[in-house]
Amino acid sequence: MAHAATNSVHPYLCLYYIHMLRFDVMTISLLTACVYLLRVPASAFWINLVDHRIPLHGVFTGLLTAVGTAGILLILSVPPSWITIAALPVAIISSIFDGLFYQPLEVLVDSAIIKILGDYKILYENERQYGKWVSAIMTLGIGWSLNDDHDFDTLMVTILIGSVILFLLSLSTTVQAADPSLLGITCNEVDETTPLAKHALQRTNTSSSCVYYKPYSLFGEQLSHISEEDASMLQRMTTANNSVSIKPLPRPASVCSGLSYLTNTTTHLHNNQHIPGTAAPAAATEYEDSACFFHPTLPSTMHSASYQHPSQYNPYQINYELGNSPPSFELARLPYPPAQSPAVVLITLIPGYHQNQSSHQPTNQIPISATVVAEDDYYHQCSLATHHYQQQSKWILKSFICSTLCLGIVFGMTQSLLYIHLHDNLKFPMHLIGVVGLATISADILASKLVIRIIQNFSLPVIIGMAHIILVLCTLTYTWLQPEVFSTKLIVILLQFLQCVSFQFIWLLAAHQVDSVILTDRRRMMLKGGMAALYSSLGPAIGVLFMGNLINALTDDPLERYTSVYQYAAGLSAVSSILSWEWSTTN
């Protein structure tokens, strides 16, 4: 919540740049794009650092808070006499510090939440909502305060107080899995009369908490598509409204239960000291669409009279991709992840990353290079049907990437410098800008709440199509608004709310659809990470630069300059709708 309070200052920085530092829109666009571009690589770097030094998670969070806040306070404290001389260099340094140190704080906070929740990651969105509400209230309060504060001192006071609180909390918080009782999970939360709860939940009274029986843990294996059953999930599935059933997005049938078959087959092979030459290809074909990769490694000679212990020879080397991945990678495994955090998995694309990871593993584990089988090599062993699926999946991947990039560009064009357009062109007072900020965050909260219920009642292509239609209509409506008209103020608040709901719906549903159409865990995580980088970093950076160039290139009335920006945004929204058709209609 402390981070959310300080983060509410950022939307108002563009007004500070243009009114106090006298920057033009193109300069502000460059500074904003710099922050967007630095946030993803910086977040991946710091997350990788804290994941290997979990006891120091709070220390690093406090360090980033101090350095990042110092960078923002640097630009907010430029005296008026230095504006013409030092304003631009200080603003560049401040933006670099913001992108490298302050922006990664959001991901570090999300990572801390995931680690503290432990097996109860399903509560992640509930924990995050508290921060969103604080941010909404603070955004509204800052807007009302700026009505009489023409020096923007409110921004400095807000970020200073919030950062001090966040710094102290970071140093005093231990990032480790919390006891269920501390998370508000009690034994009485689940109705044990239901068949699901009766067979999936077993209570053991202790002095401090209840120990929950997790049936999938009995296998000692990682099962793809299956998460641990906990009390919170059972509570959601056994709500009072029994007329509404949980209906997730369509997805291919999981065949990871075939691991039990492979285990039995392996045991049978050891006991009989014989393996047919066609057993491995047959098994590979039967389980060709499994999310777990296995590769036959048969010895050149195997005598029937000899016996090898299973620990010495395993005819199937099974590899669970990213099975020992850092805990923060769980952010990319969430069914409805935040927009920025999944991008941390892209650090695995750095050459030598896996070798560095293996050095952190215990020495008794088999090296990754000895067990990892490349996906391409695996698919080459499969049937023609699998090859056809692979070709089809390439188009789906391109559809995900291109539509998300277009959506990020539209977001950058319409949201990054929105407050400048509202205040300078449409003549909005500061307190109404605060109301617009409140509508923005409220739309985010509402979309996260309603996304599951919407999926249950409507098909995915209809939802995605309607969300894009709303984006197109909202951006075109902005071109017809006139300043100093009361109806304009009401329309803008409504348009902003609808736009943000649509943006959030499209992102959440796209991320969830990845789990439905992509089979392997590694591909799902990497695709979500790439989409997050495009939607929250590269796309907005391109959009805000494109917007600044359009406004600077035109010499007409300022209102007409923004009209052309929204016209281009409407066209890109339509392109995003067309590109999303491939992944939204794939079952």
Side-chain angles (χ1 to χ4, degrees):
M1 290 190 289
H3 172 260
T6 58
N7 204 39
S8 59
V9 170
H10 275 77
Y12 293 95
L13 286 179
C14 59
L15 292 174
Y16 175 79
Y17 287 150
I18 201 167
H19 289 288
M20 296 299 299
L21 303 184
R22 301 289 186 256
F23 290 164
D24 57 16
V25 175
M26 189 62 197
T27 302
I28 300 174
S29 299
L30 289 170
L31 296 173
T32 307
C34 176
V35 175
Y36 280 137
L37 292 175
L38 291 176
R39 72 198 308 187
V40 166
S43 299
F45 170 79
W46 290 111
I47 280 294
N48 182 62
L49 202 60
V50 300
D51 277 343
H52 295 107
R53 298 165 179 83
I54 294 181
L56 298 178
H57 193 124
V59 175
F60 280 108
T61 303
L63 175 64
L64 294 185
T65 302
V67 179
T69 303
I72 300 176
L73 291 177
L74 183 65
I75 190 61
L76 291 177
S77 59
V78 174
S81 59
W82 291 14
I83 290 179
T84 57
I85 303 174
L88 184 58
V90 171
I92 294 174
I93 296 174
S94 175
S95 298
I96 294 175
F97 273 60
D98 188 3
L100 292 179
F101 300 102
Y102 193 86
Q103 294 296 321
L105 280 175
E106 179 178 348
V107 183
L108 262 69
V109 172
D110 289 340
S111 174
I113 295 174
I114 284 291
K115 294 172 184 175
I116 292 174
L117 291 177
D119 292 334
Y120 300 91
K121 299 178 181 66
I122 197 171
L123 300 176
Y124 167 80
E125 186 59 35
N126 293 333
E127 296 297 325
R128 215 166 176 265
Q129 284 183 2
Y130 299 114
K132 292 180 180 179
W133 281 117
V134 170
S135 181
I137 295 173
M138 291 300 301
T139 301
L140 178 62
I142 291 173
W144 281 90
S145 299
L146 289 177
N147 264 343
D148 302 320
D149 180 17
H150 303 288
D151 295 330
F152 291 87
D153 292 333
T154 302
L155 302 183
M156 182 181 297
V157 173
T158 302
I159 196 170
L160 186 59
I161 296 176
S163 298
V164 169
I165 297 175
L166 179 59
F167 179 81
L168 296 177
L169 290 176
S170 301
L171 297 181
S172 60
T173 302
T174 301
V175 180
Q176 62 181 11
D179 188 88
S181 61
L182 298 178
L183 300 175
I185 300 175
T186 60
C187 302
N188 298 326
E189 283 189 2
V190 182
D191 183 9
E192 296 181 22
T193 60
T194 61
L196 180 62
K198 184 182 299 181
H199 295 289
L201 185 64
Q202 176 182 357
R203 293 188 298 175
T204 303
N205 292 327
T206 62
S207 58
S208 60
S209 62
C210 298
V211 178
Y212 295 97
Y213 161 61
K214 300 182 177 66
Y216 298 127
S217 298
L218 297 180
F219 297 96
E221 299 174 345
Q222 300 184 19
L223 303 181
S224 179
H225 306 325
I226 300 176
S227 60
E228 296 286 0
E229 290 186 7
D230 53 38
S232 57
M233 180 178 288
L234 294 174
Q235 183 185 19
R236 291 182 58 182
M237 299 180 68
T238 57
T239 54
N241 187 8
N242 294 325
S243 61
V244 179
S245 60
I246 302 298
K247 185 178 67 175
L249 288 177
R251 67 183 310 145
S254 174
V255 292
C256 281
S257 57
L259 290 174
S260 301
Y261 166 83
L262 291 178
T263 306
N264 296 333
T265 305
T266 303
T267 306
H268 176 75
L269 293 174
H270 288 308
N271 293 335
N272 293 278
Q273 296 87 33
H274 177 68
I275 181 170
T278 59
T285 303
E286 183 176 357
Y287 297 101
E288 62 189 5
D289 60 341
S290 174
C292 304
F293 299 124
F294 59 93
H295 182 62
T297 55
L298 304 180
S300 56
T301 58
M302 181 180 291
H303 303 285
S304 58
S306 64
Y307 173 77
Q308 284 183 294
H309 193 273
S311 63
Q312 298 175 355
Y313 167 68
N314 182 7
Y316 292 94
Q317 292 180 353
I318 300 177
N319 167 53
Y320 305 94
E321 289 207 0
L322 296 178
N324 295 323
S325 59
S328 295
F329 282 20
E330 293 297 325
L331 291 167
R333 289 190 173 104
L334 293 173
Y336 303 102
Q340 179 183 346
S341 299
V344 298
V345 302
L346 298 181
I347 196 172
T348 59
L349 300 178
I350 297 178
Y353 173 80
H354 292 288
Q355 286 77 1
N356 295 333
Q357 284 292 103
S358 62
S359 63
H360 294 280
Q361 297 178 356
T363 55
N364 59 348
Q365 290 186 356
I366 300 175
I368 292 179
S369 59
T371 59
V372 173
V373 180
E375 292 187 27
D376 292 338
D377 295 336
Y378 169 78
Y379 281 115
H380 282 267
Q381 300 174 16
C382 297
S383 63
L384 183 62
T386 305
H387 177 71
H388 173 72
Y389 166 78
Q390 185 181 16
Q391 297 299 322
Q392 183 184 16
S393 66
K394 290 182 178 179
W395 289 106
I396 297 175
L397 294 178
K398 293 178 181 178
S399 173
F400 275 118
I401 292 172
C402 294
S403 63
T404 306
L405 177 61
C406 289
L407 195 68
I409 294 174
V410 174
F411 183 90
M413 295 178 66
T414 59
Q415 302 297 316
S416 298
L417 306 182
L418 174 65
Y419 289 3
I420 295 178
H421 177 52
L422 297 181
H423 186 268
D424 293 353
N425 297 325
L426 298 181
K427 309 304 180 183
F428 268 50
M430 283 294 186
H431 65 273
L432 277 184
I433 292 180
V435 175
V436 172
L438 174 65
T440 300
I441 303 173
S442 300
D444 187 349
I445 299 173
L446 182 64
S448 301
K449 282 282 189 181
L450 297 181
V451 61
I452 297 178
R453 187 168 299 180
I454 293 296
I455 292 175
Q456 294 171 353
N457 294 280
F458 302 95
S459 64
L460 183 62
V462 172
I463 302 172
I464 298 298
M466 289 300 299
H468 280 97
I469 290 175
I470 292 174
L471 284 181
V472 173
L473 294 178
C474 288
T475 50
L476 290 178
T477 304
Y478 269 103
T479 63
W480 304 326
L481 299 178
Q482 297 298 321
E484 299 180 351
V485 178
F486 179 77
S487 60
T488 296
K489 298 175 175 58
L490 298 178
I491 292 173
V492 165
I493 296 173
L494 178 61
L495 292 179
Q496 181 65 8
F497 181 82
L498 293 176
Q499 271 190 314
C500 293
V501 167
S502 300
F503 277 124
Q504 188 70 358
F505 264 137
I506 296 172
W507 162 253
L508 293 176
L509 294 176
H512 191 273
Q513 181 72 346
V514 170
D515 294 332
S516 301
V517 300
I518 305 299
L519 298 182
T520 62
D521 185 45
R522 179 181 182 276
R523 286 199 175 195
R524 285 196 291 265
M525 292 178 63
M526 297 305 296
L527 180 55
K528 285 184 181 179
M531 291 166 56
L534 294 174
Y535 178 68
S536 65
S537 178
L538 183 60
I542 296 174
V544 72
L545 289 175
F546 185 40
M547 173 187 180
N549 183 63
L550 284 176
I551 293 176
N552 267 18
L554 299 175
T555 58
D556 298 330
D557 182 71
L559 193 60
E560 295 183 5
R561 298 178 186 178
Y562 282 89
T563 297
S564 63
V565 171
Y566 283 103
Q567 289 173 347
Y568 278 104
L572 286 172
S573 299
V575 172
S576 176
S577 176
I578 296 172
L579 293 173
S580 65
W581 180 257
E582 179 71 24
W583 61 259
S584 63
T585 56
T586 301
N587 295 325

